[in-house]
Amino acid sequence: MGFISALNSKHTFWSLLELANFLLLLCLFYIVGVLIADIGKTVVLQYFFWFALFFSVCISVKFFLLLLFHAFDANRPDVHSLVTGFMNVRFFNQLQVMLMPLLCLSFYIEQLKKYKRAAMLAFSVLWLILLQSEARGALLAMVVAAFVVYSFLSADLRKAFIRPIMKAVTLGTLLWLVLIIIIPLFLFDSQIWQLRTNSSGRIDMWIYILQTIPEHVWLGHGPMSFAWAEARPLPNAHPHNALLQFLYEFGVFAFILLASWSLMKLRVILKRLKLLRVKSNEHLAEQPQSSINKNLDIDTGTTDIVLVFSLCATWVYAMFDGVIVMPLSQALLVALLALNCRQYQPRAIALPLKVALVAIVIICGALLIDSLCDAALNQQLYPRLWLTGIIN
């Protein structure tokens, strides 16, 4: 369906390039699955935890240093100036909603429990950054995801899940009040944080999609076509909504399939939390009160709580931002989806499959790299796969 839509699009090359990117993401999904089957899901989850913690610590140190430098220079920072390395702080926020829940793995994996305080301290600083960067969609995604997960857990699991998160959120909010609200009142002429109440043009883009989709209702305008959409209200290369993006670019059939798959997937992972609650209740009933271990471990499947938390937060945020179109967030999302799949059996990879995978990675990767310097890319900084994502 995507291939047919690409052939009918205004810029077939760029539509096929988007499909090539999807192929690379499928290869990543398969590679993560093979890794899980080879070394075990617990070990892979530990690697993800260490990545999330290391990344969070590095960002936190840089954030505090930049805040200190701004204070020394009496230079009023904005929402983008305290998180460097990203052209737009929203790209970092996309990673935050996936990485912050992964820090909660220290609740459930025995080998990581001694790093629980460090993980929650990092969680606090990332919450501070969410508040400082005015990431309303990301904050909403984290709160909604935590509430959904909490609602499906048993009483003992609820307590183990929500208590450390609430402590981390409280600490992060206090740091925000002190460092971003109170102290700057004495250093600068005005606050460095202001509550934004507009939609940043998102609603206008969504209305535009609903108005223009009847022109190509069945197959859409073609993959990546929003990057060259005519008369769109803002020059952004994506509409900041995953479902509406698929509706515009792939048509109503793909939209229905994606929406149905998303809801069924969400139902499945939430059902796993219900089953986890049943198992937990049975475990408590079988054990005498004195021997109940409140810190459940990996054997009970409680790491599913973390994966559901991360995927729910990502799903909500994808309704407000370009989670599915930015390279780093794309890759991390695919890796999380691979971790969420349960059936991985060690198997020998046939030589033809190895050759096909290598060929796909090389060819698709070469096409993407070669397209970076294509003259059709507008040099305005409105990213999609590239920093300059608008196609003339």
Side-chain angles (χ1 to χ4, degrees), residues 236-264:
N236 300 82
H238 60 91
H240 294 77
N241 185 297
L243 291 177
L244 289 180
Q245 179 180 323
F246 267 80
L247 174 63
Y248 182 86
E249 298 185 353
F250 291 87
V252 69
F253 289 135
F255 171 79
I256 293 173
L257 287 174
L258 179 65
S260 302
W261 177 85
S262 298
L263 292 175
M264 288 189 295

Side-chain angles (χ1 to χ4, degrees), residues 60 116-126 168 171 175:
S60 301
K116 183 177 178 179
R117 290 185 178 180
M120 289 301 96
L121 181 59
F123 193 104
S124 300
V125 178
L126 292 182
L171 177 59
L175 288 173

Side-chain angles (χ1 to χ4, degrees), residues 63 65 85 97 144 161 177 184 219 246 252 285 293 365 372 384 388:
F63 177 86
L65 286 175
V97 297
V144 170
F161 169 72
L177 287 172
L219 294 175
F246 267 80
V252 69
N293 182 10
L372 290 172
R384 181 132 176 177
T388 54

Side-chain angles (χ1 to χ4, degrees), residues 372-390:
L372 290 172
C373 301
D374 196 288
L377 287 176
N378 191 306
Q379 292 308 304
Q380 298 181 65
L381 296 177
Y382 292 100
R384 181 132 176 177
L385 280 173
W386 321 263
L387 289 179
T388 54
I390 299 178

Side-chain angles (χ1 to χ4, degrees), residues 102-337:
L102 293 180
L103 294 172
C104 300
L105 286 169
S106 57
F107 303 174
Y108 306 110
I109 298 180
E110 190 64 38
Q111 297 90 325
L112 300 179
K113 286 183 179 178
K114 56 185 175 182
Y115 304 105
K116 183 177 178 179
R117 290 185 178 180
M120 289 301 96
L121 181 59
F123 193 104
S124 300
V125 178
L126 292 182
W127 185 262
L128 159 66
I129 296 175
L130 283 179
L131 292 171
Q132 187 275 330
S133 61
E134 304 175 24
R136 298 167 297 172
L139 288 167
L140 177 65
M142 293 295 296
V143 171
V144 170
F147 176 77
V148 169
V149 172
Y150 179 85
S151 301
F152 281 83
L153 294 177
S154 60
D156 56 316
L157 291 175
R158 283 179 175 181
K159 184 177 179 180
F161 169 72
I162 204 65
R163 177 177 286 184
I165 292 178
M166 290 302 299
K167 290 180 179 178
V169 167
T170 301
L171 177 59
T173 304
L174 290 174
L175 288 173
W176 171 72
L177 287 172
V178 173
L179 298 176
I180 307 302
I181 300 298
I182 298 175
I183 293 180
L185 290 176
F186 300 96
L187 299 178
F188 308 109
D189 296 333
S190 60
Q191 291 182 341
I192 66 174
W193 185 89
Q194 294 180 349
L195 178 64
R196 294 180 299 123
T197 58
N198 62 1
S199 66
S200 302
R202 285 169 170 79
I203 295 178
D204 293 332
M205 289 191 289
W206 301 343
I207 293 175
Y208 167 81
I209 288 177
L210 296 177
Q211 290 174 340
T212 56
I213 190 58
E215 300 172 7
H216 299 82
V217 66
W218 304 118
L219 294 175
H221 293 75
M224 205 187 291
S225 58
F226 199 83
W228 62 77
E230 299 177 357
R232 61 188 185 275
L234 291 176
N236 300 82
H238 60 91
H240 294 77
N241 185 297
L243 291 177
L244 289 180
Q245 179 180 323
F246 267 80
L247 174 63
Y248 182 86
E249 298 185 353
F250 291 87
V252 69
F253 289 135
F255 171 79
I256 293 173
L257 287 174
L258 179 65
S260 302
W261 177 85
S262 298
L263 292 175
M264 288 189 295
K265 191 68 177 177
L266 189 62
R267 179 177 176 272
V268 168
I269 61 178
L270 292 177
K271 186 178 179 180
R272 289 207 327 240
L273 294 186
K274 281 189 174 181
L275 293 175
L276 188 62
R277 176 166 59 186
V278 172
K279 291 180 181 178
S280 174
N281 291 337
E282 291 176 352
H283 175 73
L284 294 175
E286 292 172 358
Q287 299 295 326
Q289 187 66 28
S290 59
S291 66
I292 293 175
N293 182 10
K294 295 183 180 180
N295 294 320
L296 299 175
D297 60 24
I298 186 73
D299 294 330
T300 64
T302 47
T303 51
D304 284 347
I305 297 172
V306 176
L307 295 177
V308 173
F309 185 18
S310 184
L311 286 173
C312 282
T314 305
W315 187 84
V316 174
Y317 196 39
M319 299 300 106
F320 304 100
D321 210 88
V323 175
I324 66 168
V325 299
M326 296 301 153
L328 291 178
S329 57
Q330 274 184 344
L332 188 53
L333 174 58
V334 168
L336 287 174
L337 289 173

